[in-house]
Amino acid sequence: MDAFMQAAFDEALKGYEAGGVPIGSVIVHQGKIIGRGHNQRMQNGSPILHGEMAALEDAGRQSASVYRDSVIYTTLSPCSMCAGAIELYGFPKVVVGENRNFLGQEQRLRDAGVEVSVLQDQQCIELMARFIREHPEVWNEDIGE
Amino acid sequence: MDAFMQAAFDEALKGYEAGGVPIGSVIVHQGKIIGRGHNQRMQNGSPILHGEMAALEDAGRQSASVYRDSVIYTTLSPCSMCAGAIELYGFPKVVVGENRNFLGQEQRLRDAGVEVSVLQDQQCIELMARFIREHPEVWNEDIGE
């Protein structure tokens, strides 16, 4: 697995082991991870800290020039909130672990000029599928269903 | 001013008085405020706690049925991140204080079936304009520019 996707997956796994929604993300600026995080719905009762949002929060305040020279990695296809955040800050590229368990707003990102690369990584697919099987109600809540 | 927009404006003012970006929001479920907040970029170094996101976080975990029976009030037109969150959780309606200082993704929300009502409230317009005049660099950072 790509080293940065591995780091995002490690975040997802940390989330799963803590009883949370196993979606992780890292933000990479010029080859270095500047933010990382995972979904905090279960652990912190947060409806906004999806994986990507947690990584953004961890990276803290950054200028537009940093985001525009960064890549965001996420284990699962980004929902409308996370896609909107990626669009707001002008990331040129998103690397997605998989979109089999959930297809987010990849097309909208592409329409906005963002490069979207989907790895269909087996580890990401299996961990997410396992969580959805074990906690369908939490998963539905996480995607507003 | 509408009482709920007044509550959102009070949040914005609280933010301004703390040296922050003056955008506030409340979430109203069946006539009762269940979440309120304001932008936390300056106060907490947060790139994700825009007004609407802070109100969502304050409301905490809610089922889809609650969001779908709620209205979100925000003093300023929602950016792509906040519009994406509104879309994710299925709010049927957004009441916007003003869109003169910043026109967010209202059209996208309408296309997604969300009712968007814009009040063009003078207090909201003036407070936001004042902040942008005083801190243009923070404002640009807040909208990824």
Coordinates of all heavy atoms in Angstrom, one line a residue, chain B residues 97-142:
Chain B
G97 N -28.5 35.1 6.8 CA -28.5 36.5 7.1 C -28.3 37.4 6.0 O -29.0 38.4 5.8
E98 N -27.2 37.1 5.2 CA -26.9 38.0 4.1 C -25.9 37.3 3.1 O -25.2 36.4 3.6 CB -26.3 39.3 4.5 CG -25.0 39.1 5.3 CD -23.7 39.6 4.6 OE1 -23.8 40.0 3.4 OE2 -22.7 39.6 5.3
N99 N -25.9 37.7 1.9 CA -25.0 37.2 0.9 C -24.3 38.3 0.1 O -23.7 38.0 -0.9 CB -25.6 36.1 0.0 CG -26.7 36.8 -0.9 OD1 -26.8 38.0 -1.0 ND2 -27.5 35.9 -1.6
R100 N -24.3 39.5 0.7 CA -23.6 40.6 0.0 C -22.1 40.5 0.2 O -21.4 40.8 -0.7 CB -24.1 41.9 0.7 CG -25.6 42.2 0.4 CD -25.8 43.1 -0.8 NE -27.2 43.2 -1.1 CZ -28.1 44.0 -0.5 NH1 -27.6 44.9 0.4 NH2 -29.3 44.0 -0.8
N101 N -21.7 40.2 1.4 CA -20.2 40.1 1.6 C -19.6 38.8 1.1 O -18.4 38.8 0.8 CB -19.9 40.2 3.2 CG -20.1 41.6 3.7 OD1 -19.4 42.5 3.3 ND2 -21.1 41.8 4.5
F102 N -20.4 37.8 1.0 CA -19.9 36.5 0.4 C -21.1 35.7 -0.1 O -22.0 35.5 0.7 CB -19.2 35.7 1.5 CG -18.7 34.4 1.1 CD1 -17.6 34.2 0.3 CD2 -19.4 33.2 1.5 CE1 -17.1 32.9 -0.1 CE2 -19.0 31.9 1.1 CZ -17.8 31.8 0.4
L103 N -21.0 35.3 -1.3 CA -22.1 34.5 -1.9 C -21.6 33.0 -1.9 O -20.7 32.7 -2.6 CB -22.5 34.9 -3.3 CG -23.5 34.0 -4.0 CD1 -24.8 34.0 -3.2 CD2 -23.8 34.5 -5.4
G104 N -22.1 32.2 -1.0 CA -21.7 30.8 -0.9 C -22.4 30.0 -1.9 O -22.8 30.4 -3.0
Q105 N -22.6 28.7 -1.5 CA -23.2 27.7 -2.5 C -24.7 27.6 -2.3 O -25.2 26.5 -2.2 CB -22.5 26.4 -2.3 CG -21.0 26.6 -2.6 CD -20.4 25.4 -3.3 OE1 -21.0 24.3 -3.3 NE2 -19.2 25.5 -3.9
E106 N -25.4 28.7 -2.4 CA -26.8 28.7 -2.3 C -27.5 27.9 -3.4 O -28.4 27.2 -3.2 CB -27.4 30.1 -2.2 CG -26.9 30.9 -1.0 CD -27.3 32.3 -1.0 OE1 -28.1 32.8 -1.8 OE2 -26.8 33.1 -0.1
Q107 N -26.9 28.2 -4.6 CA -27.5 27.5 -5.8 C -27.4 26.0 -5.7 O -28.4 25.3 -6.0 CB -26.9 28.0 -7.1 CG -27.7 27.6 -8.3 CD -29.2 28.0 -8.2 OE1 -29.5 29.1 -8.0 NE2 -30.0 27.0 -8.4
R108 N -26.3 25.6 -5.2 CA -26.1 24.1 -5.1 C -27.0 23.5 -4.1 O -27.6 22.4 -4.2 CB -24.6 23.9 -4.6 CG -24.3 22.4 -4.5 CD -22.9 22.1 -4.1 NE -22.9 21.1 -3.1 CZ -22.2 21.1 -2.0 NH1 -21.3 22.0 -1.8 NH2 -22.3 20.1 -1.2
L109 N -27.3 24.3 -3.0 CA -28.2 23.8 -2.0 C -29.6 23.7 -2.6 O -30.4 22.8 -2.4 CB -28.2 24.8 -0.8 CG -27.0 24.6 0.2 CD1 -26.9 25.7 1.2 CD2 -27.1 23.2 0.9
R110 N -30.0 24.8 -3.3 CA -31.3 24.8 -4.0 C -31.4 23.6 -5.0 O -32.5 22.9 -5.0 CB -31.6 26.1 -4.7 CG -31.8 27.3 -3.8 CD -32.4 28.5 -4.5 NE -32.6 29.6 -3.5 CZ -31.8 30.6 -3.4 NH1 -30.7 30.7 -4.1 NH2 -32.0 31.5 -2.5
D111 N -30.4 23.3 -5.7 CA -30.4 22.2 -6.6 C -30.5 20.9 -5.9 O -31.1 19.9 -6.5 CB -29.0 22.2 -7.4 CG -28.9 23.3 -8.4 OD1 -29.9 24.0 -8.7 OD2 -27.8 23.6 -8.9
A112 N -30.1 20.8 -4.6 CA -30.2 19.6 -3.8 C -31.6 19.6 -3.1 O -31.8 18.7 -2.3 CB -29.1 19.5 -2.8
G113 N -32.4 20.6 -3.4 CA -33.8 20.5 -2.8 C -33.9 21.2 -1.5 O -34.9 21.1 -0.8
V114 N -32.9 22.0 -1.1 CA -32.9 22.7 0.2 C -33.5 24.1 -0.1 O -33.1 24.8 -1.0 CB -31.5 22.9 0.8 CG1 -31.5 23.6 2.1 CG2 -30.8 21.5 0.9
E115 N -34.5 24.5 0.8 CA -35.0 25.8 0.7 C -34.0 26.8 1.2 O -33.6 26.6 2.4 CB -36.4 25.9 1.4 CG -37.1 27.2 1.3 CD -38.3 27.3 2.2 OE1 -38.8 26.3 2.6 OE2 -38.7 28.5 2.5
V116 N -33.7 27.8 0.5 CA -32.7 28.8 1.0 C -33.4 30.2 1.0 O -33.9 30.7 0.0 CB -31.5 28.9 0.1 CG1 -30.5 30.0 0.6 CG2 -30.8 27.6 -0.1
S117 N -33.5 30.8 2.2 CA -34.1 32.1 2.4 C -33.1 33.1 2.8 O -32.4 32.9 3.8 CB -35.2 31.9 3.4 OG -35.7 33.2 3.8
V118 N -32.9 34.1 2.0 CA -31.9 35.1 2.3 C -32.5 36.4 2.8 O -33.4 37.0 2.1 CB -31.0 35.4 1.1 CG1 -29.9 36.4 1.4 CG2 -30.4 34.2 0.5
L119 N -32.2 36.8 4.0 CA -32.8 38.0 4.7 C -32.2 39.3 4.3 O -32.9 40.3 4.4 CB -32.8 37.8 6.2 CG -33.4 36.5 6.8 CD1 -33.4 36.6 8.3 CD2 -34.8 36.3 6.3
Q120 N -31.0 39.4 3.8 CA -30.2 40.6 3.6 C -30.3 41.5 4.8 O -30.7 42.7 4.7 CB -30.6 41.3 2.3 CG -30.4 40.5 1.0 CD -29.0 40.1 0.7 OE1 -28.1 40.0 1.6 NE2 -28.7 39.7 -0.5
D121 N -30.1 41.0 6.0 CA -30.2 41.8 7.2 C -29.0 42.8 7.4 O -27.9 42.4 7.2 CB -30.2 40.8 8.4 CG -30.2 41.5 9.7 OD1 -31.4 41.8 10.1 OD2 -29.2 41.8 10.3
Q122 N -29.4 44.0 7.7 CA -28.5 45.1 7.7 C -27.4 44.9 8.8 O -26.2 45.2 8.6 CB -29.2 46.4 7.9 CG -28.5 47.6 7.3 CD -28.1 47.5 5.9 OE1 -28.8 46.8 5.1 NE2 -26.9 47.9 5.5
Q123 N -27.8 44.4 10.0 CA -26.9 44.2 11.1 C -25.8 43.1 10.7 O -24.6 43.3 10.9 CB -27.6 43.6 12.3 CG -28.3 44.6 13.2 CD -28.8 44.0 14.5 OE1 -28.0 43.8 15.4 NE2 -30.0 43.5 14.5
C124 N -26.3 42.1 10.0 CA -25.4 41.0 9.6 C -24.4 41.6 8.5 O -23.2 41.3 8.6 CB -26.1 39.8 9.0 SG -27.1 38.9 10.2
I125 N -24.9 42.3 7.6 CA -24.1 42.9 6.5 C -23.0 43.8 7.1 O -21.8 43.7 6.8 CB -25.0 43.7 5.5 CG1 -25.9 42.8 4.7 CG2 -24.1 44.5 4.5 CD1 -26.9 43.5 3.9
E126 N -23.4 44.7 8.0 CA -22.5 45.6 8.6 C -21.4 45.0 9.4 O -20.2 45.4 9.3 CB -23.2 46.7 9.4 CG -23.9 47.7 8.5 CD -24.9 48.6 9.2 OE1 -24.9 48.7 10.4 OE2 -25.7 49.3 8.4
L127 N -21.8 44.0 10.3 CA -20.8 43.4 11.1 C -19.7 42.7 10.3 O -18.5 42.8 10.5 CB -21.4 42.4 12.1 CG -20.5 41.8 13.1 CD1 -19.8 42.8 14.0 CD2 -21.3 40.7 14.0
M128 N -20.2 41.9 9.3 CA -19.3 41.2 8.5 C -18.4 42.1 7.7 O -17.1 41.9 7.6 CB -20.1 40.3 7.5 CG -19.3 39.2 6.9 SD -18.6 38.0 8.1 CE -17.0 37.8 7.5
A129 N -19.0 43.1 7.1 CA -18.2 44.1 6.3 C -17.1 44.8 7.1 O -15.9 44.9 6.7 CB -19.1 45.2 5.7
R130 N -17.4 45.0 8.4 CA -16.5 45.7 9.3 C -15.3 44.7 9.5 O -14.1 45.1 9.5 CB -17.2 45.9 10.6 CG -16.4 46.7 11.6 CD -17.4 47.1 12.7 NE -16.6 47.5 13.9 CZ -17.2 47.9 15.1 NH1 -18.6 47.9 15.1 NH2 -16.5 48.2 16.1
F131 N -15.6 43.5 9.8 CA -14.5 42.5 10.0 C -13.6 42.3 8.8 O -12.4 42.3 8.9 CB -15.1 41.1 10.4 CG -14.0 40.1 10.7 CD1 -13.4 40.1 12.0 CD2 -13.5 39.3 9.8 CE1 -12.3 39.2 12.3 CE2 -12.5 38.4 10.0 CZ -11.9 38.4 11.3
I132 N -14.2 42.2 7.6 CA -13.4 42.1 6.4 C -12.5 43.3 6.2 O -11.4 43.1 5.8 CB -14.4 41.8 5.2 CG1 -15.1 40.5 5.3 CG2 -13.6 41.8 3.9 CD1 -16.2 40.2 4.3
R133 N -13.0 44.5 6.5 CA -12.3 45.7 6.4 C -11.1 45.7 7.3 O -10.0 46.0 7.0 CB -13.2 46.9 6.7 CG -12.8 48.1 5.9 CD -14.0 49.1 6.0 NE -14.6 49.3 7.3 CZ -15.9 49.1 7.6 NH1 -16.8 48.8 6.6 NH2 -16.4 49.3 8.8
E134 N -11.4 45.2 8.6 CA -10.3 45.2 9.6 C -9.3 44.1 9.5 O -8.2 44.2 9.9 CB -11.0 45.1 11.0 CG -11.8 46.4 11.3 CD -12.7 46.2 12.6 OE1 -12.9 45.1 13.0 OE2 -13.2 47.3 13.0
H135 N -9.8 42.9 9.0 CA -8.9 41.7 8.9 C -9.0 41.0 7.6 O -9.4 39.8 7.6 CB -9.2 40.8 10.1 CG -9.1 41.4 11.4 ND1 -7.9 41.6 12.0 CD2 -10.0 41.8 12.3 CE1 -8.1 42.2 13.2 NE2 -9.4 42.3 13.4
P136 N -8.7 41.7 6.5 CA -8.9 41.0 5.2 C -8.1 39.7 5.1 O -8.6 38.7 4.5 CB -8.4 42.0 4.2 CG -7.5 43.0 5.0 CD -8.1 43.0 6.4
E137 N -6.9 39.6 5.7 CA -6.1 38.4 5.6 C -6.7 37.2 6.3 O -6.7 36.1 5.8 CB -4.6 38.6 6.1 CG -4.4 38.8 7.6 CD -5.2 40.0 8.3 OE1 -5.7 40.9 7.6 OE2 -5.3 39.9 9.5
V138 N -7.3 37.4 7.4 CA -8.0 36.3 8.2 C -9.2 35.9 7.4 O -9.5 34.7 7.2 CB -8.5 36.8 9.6 CG1 -9.2 35.7 10.3 CG2 -7.3 37.2 10.4
W139 N -9.9 36.9 6.8 CA -11.1 36.5 6.1 C -10.8 35.7 4.8 O -11.4 34.6 4.5 CB -11.9 37.8 5.7 CG -13.0 37.5 4.7 CD1 -13.2 38.1 3.5 CD2 -14.1 36.6 4.9 NE1 -14.3 37.5 2.9 CE2 -14.9 36.6 3.7 CE3 -14.5 35.7 5.9 CZ2 -16.0 35.9 3.6 CZ3 -15.6 35.0 5.8 CH2 -16.4 35.0 4.6
N140 N -9.7 36.1 4.1 CA -9.3 35.3 3.0 C -8.9 33.9 3.4 O -9.2 32.9 2.7 CB -8.1 36.0 2.3 CG -8.5 37.2 1.4 OD1 -9.7 37.2 1.1 ND2 -7.6 38.1 1.2
E141 N -8.2 33.8 4.5 CA -7.8 32.4 5.0 C -9.1 31.6 5.2 O -9.1 30.4 4.9 CB -7.0 32.6 6.3 CG -6.4 31.3 6.8 CD -5.8 31.5 8.2 OE1 -4.8 32.2 8.3 OE2 -6.3 30.8 9.1
D142 N -10.1 32.2 5.8 CA -11.3 31.5 6.2 C -12.0 30.9 5.0 O -12.8 30.0 5.1 CB -12.2 32.4 7.0 CG -13.2 31.6 7.9 OD1 -12.7 30.8 8.7 OD2 -14.4 31.8 7.7

